[in-house]
Amino acid sequence: MLSLTVATLAACGALSEPTAGSSEPIGSQPGAPAPEPGEAARMLQLVNEARATGRTCGSAGWFAATEPLALEPRLNDAAQWYSDDMHVNGAWGHIGSDGSTLRVRVDSTGYPWQALGENIAKGHPTAESVMVAWLGSPGHCANIMGPQFTELGFGRAGVSWTQVFGQR
């Protein structure tokens, strides 16, 4: 018997120059399953392995090997909140069920950013499978390989995945 996993991806280009203003803090979504222990470290490992080798990101072009990223707790919070929102409330795209954008979600954590990027996906059962899909998509791959980014946040709820890339 042949099985098919349906997975959906969405990529957001990088943002720069934060806007002034405040937003309400992002809280956790009740009913969303927490990621497994060590999952953020595994995602960071996969991202840094990808960044260690130059690659073509489809129509986004060639990216040279670049420096590894570090996990950042505030970016983890923003990424986890959005994975929870996608899982619990059915949010999709880069606008949360409450109307929040990546910028709002990250600003609510207090992370003082200069550049941001976000990758989201639904339907992948493992970190390895979602990374294969992201690296096969020009926009996602460009975020993963973007030399402007120095830090990573990661979130997963069920089969809803989020990576948030940042630079202070």
Side-chain angles (χ1 to χ4, degrees):
M1 180 171 165
L2 191 61
S3 67
L4 174 66
T5 301
V6 176
T8 311
L9 302 171
C12 178
L15 300 174
S16 58
E17 300 178 21
T19 58
S22 64
S23 57
E24 291 298 313
I26 297 291
S28 65
Q29 298 286 324
E36 295 179 19
E39 223 172 9
R42 177 66 180 141
M43 181 60 70
L44 178 65
Q45 177 186 6
L46 293 170
V47 167
N48 285 336
E49 285 173 2
R51 289 171 66 88
T53 305
R55 71 182 63 240
T56 299
C57 292
S59 61
W62 169 257
F63 288 80
T66 192
E67 295 295 316
L69 301 179
L71 278 177
E72 210 294 329
R74 293 168 291 186
L75 295 180
N76 282 342
D77 289 346
Q80 187 60 51
W81 185 91
Y82 196 52
S83 287
D84 292 346
D85 190 37
M86 288 188 292
H87 181 77
V88 172
N89 299 312
W92 183 243
H94 292 279
I95 305 297
S97 65
D98 62 352
S100 65
T101 62
L102 170 62
R103 183 178 296 208
V104 168
R105 293 188 291 271
V106 172
D107 284 349
S108 77
T109 70
Y111 181 79
W113 60 274
Q114 296 300 312
L116 291 174
E118 179 177 69
N119 287 347
I120 64 173
K122 279 189 178 183
H124 294 277
T126 66
E128 291 78 10
S129 69
V130 76
M131 277 297 293
V132 167
W134 278 331
L135 288 171
S137 169
H140 297 96
C141 181
N143 278 344
I144 291 167
M145 295 301 295
Q148 73 274 26
F149 299 126
T150 57
E151 296 176 304
L152 175 70
F154 166 73
R156 183 194 60 81
V159 293
S160 297
W161 301 81
T162 306
Q163 291 176 324
V164 176
F165 300 89
Q167 176 204 14
R168 293 186 228 200

